Amino acid sequence: MRFTTIICSYLFFALLTFNAFALLSSEFFPLFSQVFMLLTQDGRIYNVFSLILLGLAIFMVLINPIKIYRSKNIFGKTAPFVVSLFGIITLSILIILFYWIFNKFNQDLPLFSKTDQSIIMLTHENYYLSIEFFITLLCWIFFVFIPLLYRILSLNFNIDNRLAKSLFILEPSLTTIIITMSATAFHPYFSDLPSRPFNFLLFYTSCGLLIYLLLKRENKLGFYEYANMIFLSFIILCYILCSESILRGIFFNAQITLYMLALLSWCSEWMQNKDELQNKII
């Protein structure tokens, strides 16, 4: 069992538990009806979580390509170069995201006021030009759609191919896929927000691909993958029950925390994939 899978699974469980308590208390206990709304305000706990996860991801992106480059005698020059190139691109994106989230702490907004994130959701034009849309779309394409499609088609990387070695190292695990799916599902189910059809289209497509994969390759999953899928099922039920509470808060701040965890999970897997590839070559 991969060490990174275990750690990210525990973080995933902890974050989902936190989300569940915040949502359920806001939905069913009048005394705590504003808990989720308070937690999702800009500059509050979800932004803190996101910055911590981003900081860890940046650290991983800084050290992993260096360690992989030291193995160029085994992998050749192409794989370390491609991974380093991806590392530079990923690092640039992570730094931009870190600055964007950190800037939320500098917004002097009155409590319970609508922020840019809530206004963005009001019109289709604003939402589909927002950073929220692009984060959701890119994470879904690279962490859900392509990896699931690759597994469903039973494609195998030819480790004798230089580029294939790079793709093997950068391949997201099923844990990363499930974490990303949980972020996509984090949306008010009973609302008329313009982001709703887009998020649900991505999520339902993901569910269809994942279910097909499970039916096709059910014996190739580990304990933590099954556990994460159970967590995903429970939190989706929680999202459905607490749709009104989600709508009252700036839910994208909570949603992006899960996306940041998915990024951390993916970045931390590079070394594990590298070790697995090295064992196959040797």
Side-chain angles (χ1 to χ4, degrees):
M1 174 56 63
R2 295 181 169 197
F3 178 73
T4 55
T5 299
I6 297 174
I7 296 299
C8 290
S9 295
Y10 280 123
L11 290 174
F12 182 49
F13 173 73
L15 190 54
L16 291 190
T17 302
F18 182 84
N19 290 340
F21 276 119
L23 288 171
L24 291 172
S25 60
S26 298
E27 187 74 20
F28 297 106
F29 298 95
L31 183 62
F32 303 104
S33 61
Q34 295 179 342
V35 167
F36 183 73
M37 182 170 60
L38 289 171
L39 293 175
T40 55
Q41 289 287 310
D42 285 342
R44 293 185 180 269
I45 190 65
Y46 279 109
N47 290 152
V48 174
F49 288 162
S50 296
L51 289 180
I52 293 173
L53 295 172
L54 268 175
L56 293 173
I58 290 172
F59 176 74
M60 290 293 180
V61 171
L62 286 173
I63 64 173
N64 283 345
I66 297 175
K67 292 183 177 180
I68 294 171
Y69 190 78
R70 291 176 179 174
S71 303
K72 62 181 180 180
N73 293 333
I74 299 175
F75 301 126
K77 296 181 179 180
T78 303
F81 173 77
V82 173
V83 172
S84 299
L85 181 61
F86 266 88
I88 294 173
I89 296 173
T90 304
L91 180 62
S92 302
I93 295 173
L94 292 178
I95 291 174
I96 292 172
L97 287 174
F98 191 95
Y99 174 78
W100 177 64
I101 296 174
F102 184 79
N103 194 49
K104 293 175 181 284
F105 290 86
N106 299 325
Q107 296 180 7
D108 187 16
L109 294 170
L111 198 60
F112 308 124
S113 66
K114 287 190 175 182
T115 62
D116 292 340
Q117 281 69 36
S118 58
I119 295 173
I120 281 172
M121 301 298 179
L122 296 180
T123 65
H124 287 81
E125 293 79 7
N126 285 337
Y127 175 69
Y128 290 110
L129 294 175
S130 67
I131 191 171
E132 287 86 352
F133 168 76
F134 288 105
I135 290 175
T136 300
L137 179 62
L138 292 177
C139 285
W140 182 79
I141 290 175
F142 290 106
F143 293 160
V144 177
F145 181 70
I146 294 177
L148 283 179
L149 195 63
Y150 157 79
R151 287 171 168 82
I152 288 173
L153 296 176
S154 299
L155 300 177
N156 292 313
F157 292 119
N158 181 7
I159 60 175
D160 294 327
N161 183 278
R162 297 177 180 178
L163 183 59
K165 293 176 182 177
S166 308
L167 296 177
F168 187 95
I169 294 173
L170 297 171
E171 180 187 7
S173 69
L174 190 59
T175 297
T176 301
I177 293 172
I178 294 172
I179 294 173
T180 308
M181 287 179 61
S182 71
T184 307
F186 203 136
H187 198 279
Y189 277 71
F190 306 106
S191 68
D192 56 355
L193 296 177
S195 56
R196 178 174 175 266
F198 173 71
N199 277 266
F200 286 178
L201 174 64
L202 300 187
F203 179 67
Y204 292 147
T205 303
S206 305
C207 286
L209 293 174
L210 181 60
I211 291 172
Y212 183 81
L213 177 66
L214 295 178
L215 294 175
K216 185 178 181 181
R217 305 175 66 181
E218 58 180 345
N219 295 326
K220 295 189 177 182
L221 301 180
F223 168 78
Y224 284 93
E225 284 80 6
Y226 280 116
N228 288 334
M229 283 187 285
I230 294 174
F231 298 156
L232 176 63
S233 302
F234 278 118
I235 200 62
I236 291 172
L237 178 61
C238 182
Y239 294 160
I240 295 174
L241 293 174
C242 304
S243 180
E244 185 177 343
S245 295
I246 295 176
L247 188 59
R248 287 200 301 264
I250 308 174
F251 61 87
F252 188 77
N253 281 335
Q255 190 182 43
I256 198 174
T257 304
L258 287 166
Y259 282 127
M260 296 306 102
L261 178 58
L263 278 168
L264 173 61
S265 176
W266 175 60
C267 294
S268 64
E269 290 164 357
W270 295 3
M271 285 303 298
Q272 298 284 347
N273 292 340
K274 170 255 183 185
D275 293 338
E276 184 178 340
L277 178 61
Q278 185 171 327
N279 292 333
K280 288 185 177 183
I281 294 175
I282 297 177

